[in-house]
Amino acid sequence: MRKYVFILSVILLLIPLSLGIVSFFYTPYPITEMDIDNRFSGISKAHLLGTDQFGRDLLSRLMVASRYALLLGTVSVTLGLCAGAFIGVISALSNKWISMIFLRFIDGMLAFPGIVLAMMFVVVFGDGLYSTLIAIAIFMIPIFARLTYSLIKEQQHALYIVAAKSMGLSTPRIVWRHYLPVILPRLVTQFSASIGSAILIESALSYLGLGVVPPNASFGLMLKEAQSFMLSYPYLILPSGILLVITVLGLNLMGDTLNDRLMKLGDTHD
Amino acid sequence: MILSCEHVSKNFKDTIAVKDVSLELEEAESIGIVGESGSGKSTLANILGGLVRPNSGTVYFEGENIMDMKKHNDLNFRQNVQFVFQSPKESLHPYLKVRTSLREPFFAKGRPRTTKKEMDREILRALERVQLNETVLDKYPHQLSGGQAQRISIVRAMITDPKVVIFDEAVSALDILVQKEVIEILKKLRHNIRTSYLFITHDISTVKSLTDRIIVMKDGKIVETGKTDDILNNPQAPYTKKLIASAI
Ligand SMILES: Nc1ncnc2c1ncn2[C@@H]1O[C@H](COP(=O)(O)OP(=O)(O)OP(=O)(O)O)[C@@H](O)[C@H]1O
Ligand SMILES: [Mg+2]
């Protein structure tokens, strides 16, 4: 059963992934090219998914939107993971006081709903791709810091960690060689699911007009534009809506099943 | 005198685990610490090995207080006092192959770098001494028998020639025949090297052939200490008599 879920998640993810990758080399039309005679054209040979209110090719825009969603999601969550894991390790392994200060800080950040935090950031530092990216990364830091902290605390008294300490290994080595193989699967699981939420946050920001800005393409932006024509052309909402669901669902399912698979690849260092 | 402690005590909240214990371990000497479960043996061992900080009292390694050690001596202490724990499988990293685990001691802080080739040569030589085949190197701990895993732990503790090795119930988890095997191996190892040993056990019969001296502990205190033969043949404290009787 779990195996099929994993395969399903891979298939789902291949859709936005291939669209996004191909978009680097090829899109049927330039994404900003307008064709006023062909507005709301519906599905046709020339426009496989139809066109929007400016006559722009929806497939092309969707391909670029997939690219941005996945890139932005991956990069921002990677940044959040690295910074968060680092903070988590420090708070788990330092003395009581430093640890407590870090934990208060993490909990403080966790208390903010992510989208509010991201909105605040974007409002203060301006919209656009980079501040969206940083905003999401910042939102991810406490999540990974907390997770890393509790995973390390969980292992701290395990005999093989005590053994590593008693051997006289340095703390960085103990973290890298002894903690990491054990906590990595859980971090990767969280990583995968977090890319899903990063993409949702990005979409929400763009939808609110804060993230990726026109004439660029993103899921949130496309949804927002489609929404304006909801009554006359309701099908406009389908391409970006469905692809967004597919992407996030794929990432979450992958996160769920990845854990078991990664456990088997324990010896990461040989 | 290589490792010693003076008047060490340790309590965990209300429990007094170790109370005012002093002992001395000489170079190439082997001491058994014997007592029932909860008598404070492991706590004492961890204090001596620097894993647990005593509430009071002092531990000396090569005559120097381990709490006051400067970096260099601290590294020297850390490398020269090694442990073999009770649960062999749990003390090996579950996700690392035996080969990787056995290379780890060579990476101790402050050790001169060794090439992987040299490490592997040492590892093979050590495996031979504990009568293990090199095929174990490519296994994970869960693929080993208890006896194999414990012999791996012994190799890991001794591969860098530490001056002191502390065995905390190192054979208790093994079944009788495997226990005998491991004890035989340890006996042989003793003849080869000038290492000092601390054997901790609740079962006096497992250390009688391995130790020069025995220290009997009860409720965190030493109740009797003496040469192994004297303790076994002529125990003074009633508690020691009970321990000997229960072991036979
Ligand atoms: N980390 C700890 N926290 C709280 N209490 C502890 C801790 N470690 C040991 N103790 C207590 O200290 C006492 C001595 O424990 P210790 O493990 O040293 O005994 P032991 O002689 O090694 O026993 P065993 O033969 O069962 O291993 C026990 O009462 C135990 O409950
Ligand atoms: Mg014990």
Side-chain angles (χ1 to χ4, degrees), chain B residues 21-202:
Chain B
V21 169
S22 306
L23 66 83
E24 295 180 354
L25 180 67
E26 303 291 341
E27 194 180 328
E29 188 188 24
S30 170
I31 297 185
I33 299 181
V34 186
E36 63 191 352
S37 182
S39 55
K41 309 178 297 287
S42 296
T43 308
L44 178 61
N46 291 341
I47 290 173
L48 284 166
L51 297 182
V52 164
R53 201 186 260 258
N55 295 112
S56 62
T58 325
V59 178
Y60 299 93
F61 177 70
E62 296 184 321
E64 197 179 346
N65 182 347
I66 64 168
M67 281 304 159
D68 300 340
M69 278 184 178
K70 295 275 180 300
K71 196 166 180 185
H72 172 77
N73 283 345
D74 188 50
L75 296 179
N76 177 42
F77 163 67
R78 208 32 309 143
Q79 280 173 37
N80 276 300
V81 180
Q82 293 294 325
F83 280 86
V84 176
F85 296 101
Q86 172 169 11
S87 335
K89 291 199 180 182
E90 286 164 37
S91 71
L92 295 171
H93 197 293
Y95 295 170
L96 296 182
K97 281 185 186 156
V98 168
R99 183 193 311 278
T100 315
S101 281
L102 288 182
R103 282 178 186 159
E104 281 304 277
F106 292 100
F107 290 97
K109 235 186 327 190
R111 245 191 99 82
R113 286 287 156 256
T114 325
T115 63
K116 287 232 166 89
K117 235 190 189 149
E118 286 171 305
M119 290 179 201
D120 289 351
R121 193 156 7 126
E122 295 278 327
I123 290 171
L124 285 180
R125 201 178 306 157
L127 282 184
E128 209 169 293
R129 272 186 272 157
V130 298
Q131 295 156 29
L132 277 178
N133 195 293
E134 62 177 289
T135 50
V136 296
L137 290 177
D138 289 312
K139 293 190 172 168
Y140 291 99
H142 69 90
Q143 298 167 319
L144 302 171
S145 73
Q148 285 174 328
Q150 196 55 295
R151 281 181 278 175
I152 301 281
S153 302
I154 292 170
V155 168
R156 182 176 61 175
M158 302 189 60
I159 192 142
T160 50
D161 291 329
K163 292 178 177 162
V164 179
V165 186
I166 299 175
F167 292 83
D168 188 355
E169 303 275 13
V171 297
S172 311
L174 309 174
D175 60 55
I176 294 282
L177 285 177
V178 185
Q179 263 189 15
K180 287 231 166 67
E181 249 173 67
V182 174
I183 290 173
E184 282 310 311
I185 286 168
L186 289 174
K187 262 202 264 184
K188 285 208 190 100
L189 286 177
R190 271 210 65 195
H191 287 297
N192 297 337
I193 321 165
R194 282 184 67 76
T195 310
S196 307
Y197 295 91
L198 213 53
F199 287 102
I200 289 164
T201 181
H202 64 275

Side-chain angles (χ1 to χ4, degrees), chain A residues 72 75-76 79-80 118 121-122 125 128-141:
Chain A
L72 204 112
V75 174
S76 60
L79 288 177
F121 187 89
V122 173
F125 292 97
L129 207 57
Y130 290 109
S131 40
T132 310
L133 195 147
I134 300 292
I136 297 174
I138 290 177
F139 166 58
M140 293 295 165
I141 290 174

Side-chain angles (χ1 to χ4, degrees), chain A residues 87-162:
Chain A
I87 293 175
V89 166
I90 298 213
S91 17
L93 298 182
S94 335
N95 67 38
K96 244 198 254 160
W97 283 105
I98 298 179
S99 167
M100 210 175 73
I101 292 168
F102 270 85
L103 282 181
R104 287 288 155 276
F105 175 70
I106 293 168
D107 287 342
M109 276 179 80
L110 277 176
F112 274 96
I115 185 73
V116 175
L117 200 71
M119 274 168 66
M120 271 168 36
F121 187 89
V122 173
V123 166
V124 173
F125 292 97
D127 48 18
L129 207 57
Y130 290 109
S131 40
T132 310
L133 195 147
I134 300 292
I136 297 174
I138 290 177
F139 166 58
M140 293 295 165
I141 290 174
I143 296 175
F144 284 102
R146 247 298 170 200
L147 181 65
T148 309
Y149 173 84
S150 55
L151 288 176
I152 287 199
K153 280 288 172 195
E154 207 178 282
Q155 301 298 321
Q156 202 166 34
H157 298 291
L159 210 46
Y160 63 86
I161 293 292
V162 176

